[in-house]
Amino acid sequence: MIGKTRIFRIGTEYASYADIGRAAGTIIKEGGTVAFPTETVYGLGADALNPDAVGKIFEAKARPPDNPLIVHISSTEQLHDLVEDIPARAFDLMDAFWPGPLTMIFKRKEVVPEIITAGLDTVAVRMPDNPIALLLIEEAGTPIAAPSANRSGMPSPTTTQHVISDLDGRIDAVIDGGAVKIGVESTVVDMTSETPVLLRPGGIGIDEISDVIGKVAIGYLDRLLEEGEVARSPGMRYTHYSPKTWMVLVSGNSNSVVDRISKFVSDYNRQGLRVGLLATEETAEHIIADEIFILGGRDDIALIASNLFAGIRYLDGRNVDVIIADGSMRADGIGAAVQNRLKKAADEEFANR
Ligand code: TXA
Ligand code: MG
């Protein structure tokens, strides 16, 4: 693609999101790529039924071709066109959480291009809870395949600025819908087995899911797969959410975390290294570092989730030699997703009791 990425923004040449939806929908229909806000993170969309268009997503992100994409829909009718064997439990989850940050994996129909599923016989589907995303899918008149709109391996984008910084000139357009609401990606659940399997913790906590459908198996890891280990979800094989700067995660009991981080900061400083601290409010009160990004109070896990990726990106841009991340926030509900993203983003973890 030659030239710059168009930014669709209200108040410039467009008066309303309806205008933007039409313009961006046309790009999708014609086989182009459009980044758009969802309630979780920004997605990079293309016509899910057009393999050439989907190919442009992989190219723009430099995404490994064996990592499948989520297909986004705006109505449940579209689901029936894409998948078969929908279990009753899945309808219960749809009623409870769609539109919303829940992705479900089903047996795919023939129409779903192989490039989306990376050759698997299943496909991931979700209905996002964002009016711009839903309007775009409707205007395009087709389901939209969309991974997070970052360069492969980088933290997911939660603002248009993040999308532009990773993908300017590599995609046709981005719709600016401001900062996203949730800030971590959707919860992914495989519905094809007798007991549904949680493949990625996300915007909906596992307790909320088992409240609706009973037993759910845990099928995700907070680390990369080792040599020879089989992936339940192809995404588990790859580095994710990772800043360019070396990142150290200090997790565990809050008092020992504060002590450990203080010690790290002084050790690094003594070696002449500049330290960026990504911390909860409570930890930040006790520590002085060269650069600090405060995520929110330890118990305010929704706020922490919404700040997480922006914080990592911020410190990555502050010319520090090392980022120390504080893992003392709560780990239940959406906290499981926060902890998972921190562990995957970190190059090293020090777990305290
Ligand atoms: O919140 C979200 O889910 C965002 C927004 C844009 O909707 N999207 C997103 O997509 O996070 P992506 O591509 O970054 O993550 C999709 C995850 C990957 O870990 C992938 O391996 C997994 O879903 N996945 C997709 N299809 C799958 C399948 N058929 N079986 C198992 N895992 C699958
Ligand atoms: Mg992603």
Side-chain angles (χ1 to χ4, degrees), residues 135-331:
L135 178 71
L136 178 67
I137 299 165
E138 268 159 39
E139 290 289 338
T142 178
I144 292 183
S148 49
N150 50 279
R151 285 274 197 144
S152 199
M154 292 286 288
S156 296
T158 56
T159 65
T160 292
Q161 200 41 55
H162 298 159
V163 176
I164 289 295
S165 113
D166 276 19
L167 299 175
D168 193 19
R170 303 176 67 88
I171 61 176
D172 293 306
V174 51
I175 304 174
D176 186 359
V180 300
K181 219 165 58 187
I182 295 179
V184 292
E185 303 84 349
S186 61
T187 302
V188 179
V189 184
D190 185 349
M191 302 303 295
T192 63
S193 50
E194 188 52 35
T195 304
V197 183
L198 182 74
L199 295 180
R200 180 175 72 182
I204 295 175
I206 180 151
D207 290 353
E208 289 178 80
I209 290 173
S210 46
D211 281 351
V212 176
I213 56 167
K215 193 168 157 35
V216 177
I218 305 283
Y220 73 92
L221 299 167
D222 284 327
R223 55 172 175 80
L224 282 183
L225 289 178
E226 276 158 25
E227 196 69 30
E229 240 180 321
V230 179
R232 292 229 202 199
S233 175
M236 291 174 186
R237 278 195 288 267
Y238 300 106
T239 308
H240 280 300
Y241 321 114
S242 211
K244 297 185 193 84
T245 312
W246 188 260
M247 182 167 138
V248 172
L249 171 63
V250 181
S251 56
N253 163 294
S254 48
N255 290 327
S256 55
V257 165
V258 171
D259 292 346
R260 192 81 178 252
I261 292 179
S262 308
K263 187 163 179 328
F264 272 133
V265 175
S266 43
D267 287 353
Y268 283 128
N269 280 166
R270 208 171 310 121
Q271 293 168 50
L273 301 176
R274 270 173 53 78
V275 178
L277 178 65
L278 183 74
T280 59
E281 232 167 77
E282 293 86 343
T283 296
E285 268 174 23
H286 296 103
I287 295 170
I288 295 170
D290 300 287
E291 299 281 347
I292 299 185
F293 186 97
I294 297 178
L295 292 165
R298 278 182 193 140
D299 289 334
D300 198 349
I301 199 67
L303 180 65
I304 290 181
S306 71
N307 284 327
L308 181 68
F309 290 136
I312 295 176
R313 281 180 181 263
Y314 171 81
L315 291 173
D316 207 17
R318 298 302 295 174
N319 193 29
V320 292
D321 300 299
V322 57
I323 296 171
I324 301 179
D326 162 20
S328 68
M329 66 286 288
R330 54 195 294 177

Side-chain angles (χ1 to χ4, degrees), residues 4-187:
K4 290 188 79 181
T5 295
R6 284 179 78 177
I7 302 180
F8 290 114
R9 200 173 264 144
I10 281 183
T12 50
E13 37 183 325
Y14 298 93
S16 71
Y17 279 121
D19 301 336
I20 291 174
R22 264 187 297 280
T26 304
I27 297 178
I28 298 279
K29 269 188 214 152
E30 290 172 350
T33 50
V34 177
F36 60 97
T38 79
E39 79 281 32
T40 57
V41 300
Y42 274 73
L44 174 57
D47 180 351
L49 303 180
N50 176 346
D52 291 337
V54 175
K56 293 178 189 168
I57 293 178
F58 283 90
E59 207 176 89
K61 285 187 54 119
R63 182 177 176 105
D66 61 351
N67 194 4
L69 306 179
I70 297 172
V71 176
H72 295 68
I73 58 175
S74 57
S75 73
T76 36
E77 285 86 82
Q78 286 172 308
L79 180 68
H80 296 277
D81 298 338
L82 298 167
V83 312
E84 44 201 355
D85 303 340
I86 307 175
R89 285 188 299 263
F91 287 105
D92 295 339
L93 288 178
M94 281 176 228
D95 285 344
F97 301 117
W98 275 7
L102 172 70
T103 295
M104 284 189 275
I105 292 173
F106 301 103
K107 194 156 180 294
R108 75 174 173 109
K109 281 190 174 161
E110 253 348 282
V111 290
V112 180
E114 284 219 353
I115 185 168
I116 288 198
T117 65
L120 299 173
D121 58 3
T122 56
V123 62
V125 185
R126 128 171 155 90
M127 190 188 291
D129 184 18
N130 176 292
I132 300 172
L134 294 172
L135 178 71
L136 178 67
I137 299 165
E138 268 159 39
E139 290 289 338
T142 178
I144 292 183
S148 49
N150 50 279
R151 285 274 197 144
S152 199
M154 292 286 288
S156 296
T158 56
T159 65
T160 292
Q161 200 41 55
H162 298 159
V163 176
I164 289 295
S165 113
D166 276 19
L167 299 175
D168 193 19
R170 303 176 67 88
I171 61 176
D172 293 306
V174 51
I175 304 174
D176 186 359
V180 300
K181 219 165 58 187
I182 295 179
V184 292
E185 303 84 349
S186 61
T187 302

